[in-house]
Coordinates of all heavy atoms in Angstrom, one line a residue:
P1 N 0.8 -1.2 0.0 CA 0.0 0.0 0.0 C 0.9 1.2 0.0 O 2.0 1.3 0.5 CB -0.8 -0.1 1.3 CG -0.8 -1.6 1.6 CD 0.5 -2.1 1.1
G2 N 0.3 2.3 -0.5 CA 1.1 3.6 -0.6 C 0.1 4.7 -0.3 O -1.1 4.6 -0.2
G3 N 0.7 5.9 -0.3 CA 0.0 7.2 -0.1 C -0.6 7.4 1.2 O -1.5 8.2 1.4
G4 N -0.1 6.6 2.2 CA -0.6 6.7 3.6 C -1.9 5.9 3.8 O -2.6 6.2 4.8
M5 N -2.2 5.0 3.0 CA -3.5 4.3 3.1 C -3.6 3.6 4.4 O -4.7 3.6 5.1 CB -3.6 3.2 2.0 CG -5.1 2.6 1.9 SD -5.1 0.9 1.5 CE -4.6 0.1 3.0
T6 N -2.6 2.9 4.9 CA -2.7 2.2 6.2 C -2.9 3.1 7.3 O -3.7 2.8 8.3 CB -1.4 1.3 6.4 OG1 -0.3 2.2 6.5 CG2 -1.2 0.3 5.3
W7 N -2.4 4.3 7.3 CA -2.5 5.3 8.3 C -4.0 5.8 8.3 O -4.7 5.9 9.3 CB -1.5 6.4 8.1 CG -1.6 7.5 9.2 CD1 -1.0 7.5 10.4 CD2 -2.2 8.8 9.0 NE1 -1.2 8.7 11.1 CE2 -1.9 9.5 10.2 CE3 -2.8 9.4 8.0 CZ2 -2.4 10.8 10.4 CZ3 -3.3 10.7 8.2 CH2 -3.0 11.4 9.4
M8 N -4.4 6.2 7.1 CA -5.8 6.8 7.0 C -6.8 5.8 7.4 O -7.8 6.1 8.1 CB -6.0 7.3 5.6 CG -5.2 8.5 5.2 SD -5.8 9.2 3.6 CE -5.2 7.9 2.4
L9 N -6.7 4.6 6.9 CA -7.7 3.5 7.1 C -7.8 3.2 8.6 O -8.9 3.0 9.1 CB -7.4 2.3 6.2 CG -8.5 1.3 6.2 CD1 -9.8 1.9 5.6 CD2 -8.1 0.1 5.2
Q10 N -6.7 2.9 9.2 CA -6.7 2.6 10.7 C -7.3 3.7 11.5 O -8.0 3.4 12.5 CB -5.3 2.2 11.1 CG -4.8 0.9 10.6 CD -3.5 0.5 11.2 OE1 -3.4 -0.3 12.2 NE2 -2.4 1.0 10.6
R11 N -6.9 4.9 11.2 CA -7.5 6.0 12.0 C -9.0 6.1 11.9 O -9.7 6.5 12.8 CB -6.8 7.3 11.6 CG -5.4 7.6 12.1 CD -4.7 8.7 11.4 NE -5.5 10.0 11.5 CZ -5.2 10.8 12.5 NH1 -4.3 10.6 13.4 NH2 -5.9 12.0 12.6
L12 N -9.5 5.7 10.7 CA -10.9 5.9 10.5 C -11.8 4.7 11.0 O -12.8 4.9 11.6 CB -11.2 6.1 9.0 CG -12.6 6.4 8.5 CD1 -13.1 7.7 9.1 CD2 -12.7 6.5 7.0
V13 N -11.3 3.5 10.7 CA -12.1 2.3 11.1 C -11.5 1.4 12.1 O -12.1 0.4 12.5 CB -12.4 1.5 9.8 CG1 -13.2 2.3 8.8 CG2 -11.1 0.9 9.2
G14 N -10.3 1.7 12.6 CA -9.7 0.9 13.6 C -8.8 -0.2 13.0 O -9.0 -0.6 11.8
P15 N -7.9 -0.8 13.8 CA -7.0 -1.8 13.3 C -7.6 -3.1 12.8 O -7.2 -3.7 11.8 CB -6.0 -2.1 14.5 CG -6.8 -1.6 15.7 CD -7.7 -0.5 15.2
Q16 N -8.7 -3.5 13.4 CA -9.3 -4.8 13.0 C -9.9 -4.7 11.6 O -9.6 -5.6 10.7 CB -10.4 -5.3 14.0 CG -11.0 -6.6 13.6 CD -11.9 -7.2 14.7 OE1 -11.5 -8.2 15.3 NE2 -13.0 -6.5 15.0
T17 N -10.7 -3.7 11.3 CA -11.3 -3.6 10.0 C -10.3 -3.2 9.0 O -10.3 -3.8 7.8 CB -12.4 -2.5 10.0 OG1 -13.5 -2.9 10.9 CG2 -13.0 -2.3 8.6
A18 N -9.3 -2.4 9.3 CA -8.2 -2.1 8.4 C -7.4 -3.3 8.0 O -7.1 -3.5 6.9 CB -7.3 -1.0 9.0
T19 N -7.2 -4.2 9.0 CA -6.4 -5.4 8.7 C -7.2 -6.3 7.8 O -6.7 -6.9 6.9 CB -6.0 -6.1 10.0 OG1 -5.2 -5.2 10.8 CG2 -5.3 -7.4 9.8
A20 N -8.5 -6.5 8.1 CA -9.4 -7.3 7.3 C -9.4 -6.9 5.9 O -9.4 -7.7 4.9 CB -10.8 -7.4 7.9
M21 N -9.4 -5.6 5.6 CA -9.5 -5.0 4.3 C -8.1 -5.1 3.6 O -8.0 -5.4 2.4 CB -9.9 -3.6 4.3 CG -11.4 -3.4 4.7 SD -11.8 -1.6 4.8 CE -11.8 -1.2 3.0
T22 N -7.0 -4.9 4.3 CA -5.7 -4.7 3.7 C -5.0 -6.1 3.6 O -4.4 -6.3 2.6 CB -4.8 -3.8 4.6 OG1 -5.5 -2.5 4.8 CG2 -3.5 -3.5 3.9
L23 N -5.1 -6.9 4.6 CA -4.3 -8.2 4.6 C -5.2 -9.4 4.3 O -4.7 -10.5 4.0 CB -3.6 -8.4 5.9 CG -2.4 -7.5 6.1 CD1 -1.8 -7.6 7.5 CD2 -1.3 -7.9 5.1
F24 N -6.5 -9.3 4.5 CA -7.4 -10.5 4.3 C -8.3 -10.2 3.1 O -9.3 -11.0 2.9 CB -8.2 -10.8 5.5 CG -7.3 -11.2 6.7 CD1 -7.6 -10.7 8.0 CD2 -6.2 -11.9 6.5 CE1 -6.8 -11.1 9.1 CE2 -5.3 -12.3 7.6 CZ -5.6 -11.9 8.8
G25 N -8.2 -9.1 2.4 CA -8.9 -8.9 1.1 C -10.4 -8.7 1.3 O -11.1 -8.9 0.3
Q26 N -10.8 -8.2 2.4 CA -12.2 -8.0 2.6 C -12.7 -6.7 2.0 O -12.0 -5.7 2.1 CB -12.6 -8.0 4.1 CG -12.4 -9.3 4.8 CD -13.2 -10.4 4.2 OE1 -14.4 -10.4 4.3 NE2 -12.5 -11.4 3.6
V27 N -13.8 -6.8 1.2 CA -14.3 -5.6 0.5 C -15.6 -5.2 1.2 O -16.5 -6.0 1.5 CB -14.6 -6.0 -1.0 CG1 -15.2 -4.8 -1.7 CG2 -13.3 -6.4 -1.7
L28 N -15.7 -3.9 1.4 CA -16.9 -3.4 2.1 C -17.9 -2.8 1.0 O -17.5 -1.9 0.2 CB -16.6 -2.3 3.1 CG -15.6 -2.6 4.2 CD1 -15.6 -1.5 5.3 CD2 -16.0 -3.9 4.9
D29 N -19.1 -3.3 1.1 CA -20.2 -2.7 0.2 C -20.7 -1.4 0.9 O -20.3 -1.1 2.0 CB -21.2 -3.7 -0.2 CG -22.0 -4.2 1.0 OD1 -21.9 -3.6 2.1 OD2 -22.7 -5.2 0.8
A30 N -21.8 -0.8 0.4 CA -22.3 0.4 0.9 C -22.8 0.2 2.4 O -22.4 1.0 3.3 CB -23.5 0.9 0.1
D31 N -23.6 -0.8 2.6 CA -24.1 -1.0 4.0 C -23.0 -1.3 5.0 O -23.0 -0.8 6.1 CB -25.2 -2.1 4.0 CG -26.4 -1.7 3.2 OD1 -26.7 -0.4 3.2 OD2 -27.2 -2.5 2.7
A32 N -22.1 -2.2 4.6 CA -21.0 -2.5 5.5 C -20.1 -1.3 5.8 O -19.6 -1.1 6.9 CB -20.1 -3.7 4.9
A33 N -19.9 -0.5 4.8 CA -19.1 0.8 5.0 C -19.7 1.7 6.0 O -19.0 2.2 6.9 CB -18.9 1.5 3.7
V34 N -21.0 1.8 6.0 CA -21.7 2.6 7.0 C -21.6 1.9 8.3 O -21.4 2.6 9.3 CB -23.2 2.8 6.6 CG1 -24.0 3.6 7.7 CG2 -23.3 3.7 5.3
A35 N -21.9 0.6 8.4 CA -21.8 -0.1 9.6 C -20.4 0.0 10.3 O -20.4 0.0 11.5 CB -22.2 -1.5 9.4
R36 N -19.4 0.0 9.5 CA -18.0 0.0 10.0 C -17.5 1.4 10.3 O -16.3 1.5 10.7 CB -17.1 -0.8 9.1 CG -17.5 -2.2 8.8 CD -17.1 -3.1 10.0 NE -17.4 -4.5 9.7 CZ -17.2 -5.5 10.5 NH1 -16.7 -5.2 11.7 NH2 -17.5 -6.7 10.2
G37 N -18.3 2.4 9.9 CA -17.8 3.8 10.2 C -16.9 4.3 9.0 O -16.4 5.4 9.2
L38 N -16.9 3.6 7.9 CA -16.1 4.1 6.8 C -16.9 5.2 6.0 O -16.3 6.1 5.4 CB -15.7 2.9 5.8 CG -14.9 3.3 4.6 CD1 -13.6 4.0 5.0 CD2 -14.6 2.0 3.8
A39 N -18.2 5.1 6.1 CA -19.1 6.1 5.4 C -20.1 6.6 6.4 O -20.5 5.9 7.4 CB -19.8 5.4 4.2
W40 N -20.5 7.9 6.2 CA -21.4 8.5 7.1 C -22.8 8.0 6.9 O -23.6 7.7 7.8 CB -21.4 10.0 6.9 CG -22.5 10.8 7.5 CD1 -23.5 11.5 7.0 CD2 -22.7 10.9 8.9 NE1 -24.3 12.0 7.9 CE2 -23.8 11.7 9.1 CE3 -22.0 10.5 10.1 CZ2 -24.3 12.0 10.4 CZ3 -22.5 10.8 11.3 CH2 -23.6 11.6 11.5
D41 N -23.2 7.8 5.6 CA -24.6 7.5 5.3 C -24.7 6.9 3.9 O -23.8 7.1 3.1 CB -25.6 8.6 5.5 CG -27.0 8.2 5.8 OD1 -27.3 7.0 5.8 OD2 -27.8 9.1 6.0
R42 N -25.8 6.3 3.6 CA -26.1 5.8 2.3 C -27.2 6.6 1.6 O -28.2 7.0 2.3 CB -26.6 4.3 2.3 CG -27.1 3.8 1.0 CD -27.4 2.3 1.1 NE -28.2 1.8 0.0 CZ -28.3 0.6 -0.4 NH1 -27.7 -0.4 0.3 NH2 -29.1 0.2 -1.4
A43 N -27.0 7.0 0.4 CA -28.0 7.8 -0.4 C -28.6 6.9 -1.5 O -27.8 6.5 -2.4 CB -27.4 9.0 -0.9
D44 N -29.8 6.6 -1.5 CA -30.4 5.8 -2.5 C -30.7 6.6 -3.8 O -30.7 7.9 -3.7 CB -31.7 5.1 -2.0 CG -31.4 4.1 -1.0 OD1 -30.4 3.4 -1.1 OD2 -32.2 3.9 0.0

């Protein structure tokens, strides 16, 4: 990873979610992003 991604992601969602996304290949969809604090809200 580059551009400070690991720093930005961990600060926003915490180490567990950041690790799942970065080292275990987990992809967050819209609802999961809101649930994990990566997004503020969903707009339909």
Side-chain angles (χ1 to χ4, degrees):
M5 191 215 78
T6 59
W7 182 80
M8 290 190 291
L9 191 57
Q10 289 187 94
R11 282 166 61 90
L12 187 60
V13 298
Q16 180 168 251
T17 297
T19 299
M21 293 178 67
T22 306
L23 285 172
F24 298 140
Q26 296 301 296
V27 177
L28 301 189
D29 63 13
D31 291 334
V34 173
R36 300 286 183 180
L38 182 55
W40 169 248
D41 203 358
R42 172 174 166 164
D44 291 325

